[in-house]
Amino acid sequence: MNKDYMLKTRPKIPGVSFPSPSKGCVSEAGATGGWEVRPGGMFVQKRSKDSRNHVPNIKVIVKHDSSYHEIVLSSQSSFGELKIMLEGATGLHPHDQKLIFKNKEMDSKDFLDVAGVKDGSKILLIEDKLSKESRRVDSRKNATVEKASNDIAAIRFEVDKLAKQVTSTEFEINGGKRVEDIVLLNMIESFMIQLIKLDAISADGDVKLQRRTQVKRVQKYIEILDVLKVRNPSICKMQLQQRQKMYKGQLPSFQEQMKQGDLNFTNNKGQMKWEKF
């Protein structure tokens, strides 16, 4: 459409001046006169940050089921803003609302004045059941993800506590101190319980990565405990070591006893003595 033709055929509004065709392009006119061309060739006042202060409010009548709701808002508001205001009156989430004006569903980004909504205009509100069900599914999914994340956090806390016990036990065994086998078995069992809990968690994305990280941690500590079971000094070995320390330097050697004549394996005739059964 020719821009000059659009400017020549502009509507005549008392008290309002439009830019003349001699000003140049429409963008220049918008810059000088504060007007802009909307889709379809409609001239509207150019919006600015403080333009709402000079725009009058309008009252629209919204029909929902058998109820009517009168909403007062700026004529330059969007249908999305209208949906937010209707949420308190109808209880419907803005994403679950369909606004019908002149037999056409309006987008949330559309503006009232551009769509031709005036003071006293009637708008039909219909509940979008598909959108509501989709939001419900998303809500359940988010709740599942949040629960899985909380469960993994609780398991991580338990693994951290068990890890400190493993470190302390490893230090004792490396120092030659014996640890009761039941202690090692109880820790392994505790780690196995956490492993079963992790296996029961169903998750995707980042939560799945968190679960995998904890599984690897638990498996690592179980392997450490298995090694400590092997390295843990046995009772027999410890008793032998204690006896060796106790008697070391106290009992004479075999050669010394032979020299002292403490060991006598012969009789008076110089023959070996054998026990008779």
Side-chain angles (χ1 to χ4, degrees), residues 60-71 86 89-90 122-124:
V60 296
I61 302 173
V62 181
K63 182 180 182 300
H64 175 232
D65 293 337
S66 58
S67 303
Y68 290 86
H69 305 279
E70 294 183 353
I71 306 296
L86 286 170
T90 64
K122 296 182 179 180
I123 301 175
L124 177 63

Side-chain angles (χ1 to χ4, degrees), residues 73-250:
L73 72 171
S74 171
S75 61
Q76 290 188 350
S77 298
S78 65
F79 281 90
E81 294 171 321
L82 177 57
K83 289 180 179 180
I84 294 176
M85 299 179 69
L86 286 170
E87 181 180 10
T90 64
L92 294 178
H93 192 277
H95 294 167
D96 301 339
Q97 300 179 24
K98 282 185 178 182
L99 295 179
I100 310 298
F101 181 66
K102 293 183 179 180
N103 298 325
K104 179 183 177 182
E105 181 182 353
M106 308 307 300
D107 189 89
S108 297
K109 297 180 181 179
D110 294 336
F111 292 98
L112 300 179
D113 56 350
V114 176
V117 178
K118 301 178 181 179
D119 187 52
S121 294
K122 296 182 179 180
I123 301 175
L124 177 63
L125 170 61
I126 300 177
E127 182 181 3
D128 190 347
K129 295 184 178 180
L130 291 178
S131 176
K132 185 176 182 179
E133 183 63 24
S134 177
R135 280 198 321 105
R136 185 177 302 173
V137 172
D138 292 340
S139 178
R140 290 176 181 174
K141 183 178 180 181
N142 293 336
T144 302
V145 171
E146 184 177 0
K147 182 180 182 304
S149 181
N150 293 336
D151 291 344
I152 293 176
I155 293 173
R156 185 191 305 116
F157 179 75
E158 294 296 328
V159 172
D160 290 341
K161 291 196 302 183
L162 291 171
K164 293 180 180 179
Q165 297 180 23
V166 173
T167 303
S168 177
T169 303
E170 186 177 15
F171 179 78
E172 292 179 356
I173 293 177
N174 289 339
K177 184 178 179 181
R178 172 171 173 76
V179 177
E180 295 294 333
D181 291 338
I182 189 64
V183 175
L184 298 175
L185 293 176
N186 287 340
M187 283 193 289
I188 293 177
E189 183 179 358
S190 299
F191 278 116
M192 291 299 297
I193 292 175
Q194 304 305 320
L195 200 61
I196 294 174
K197 291 180 180 180
L198 288 169
D199 187 62
I201 296 176
S202 177
D204 296 320
D206 294 338
V207 179
K208 185 176 181 180
L209 182 61
Q210 295 176 16
R211 184 188 66 179
R212 185 182 304 170
T213 301
Q214 295 306 313
V215 168
K216 290 182 178 180
R217 285 188 66 201
V218 172
Q219 291 174 343
K220 182 189 72 173
Y221 287 120
I222 292 177
E223 292 176 357
I224 292 176
L225 289 172
D226 288 336
V227 174
L228 292 179
K229 284 173 57 180
V230 177
R231 295 173 56 187
N232 191 30
S234 62
I235 296 178
C236 297
K237 185 177 179 181
M238 289 187 63
Q239 292 177 349
L240 180 61
Q241 291 176 350
Q242 290 176 356
R243 290 176 181 177
Q244 288 176 348
K245 291 180 180 180
M246 183 181 302
Y247 296 112
K248 185 177 181 181
Q250 296 181 5

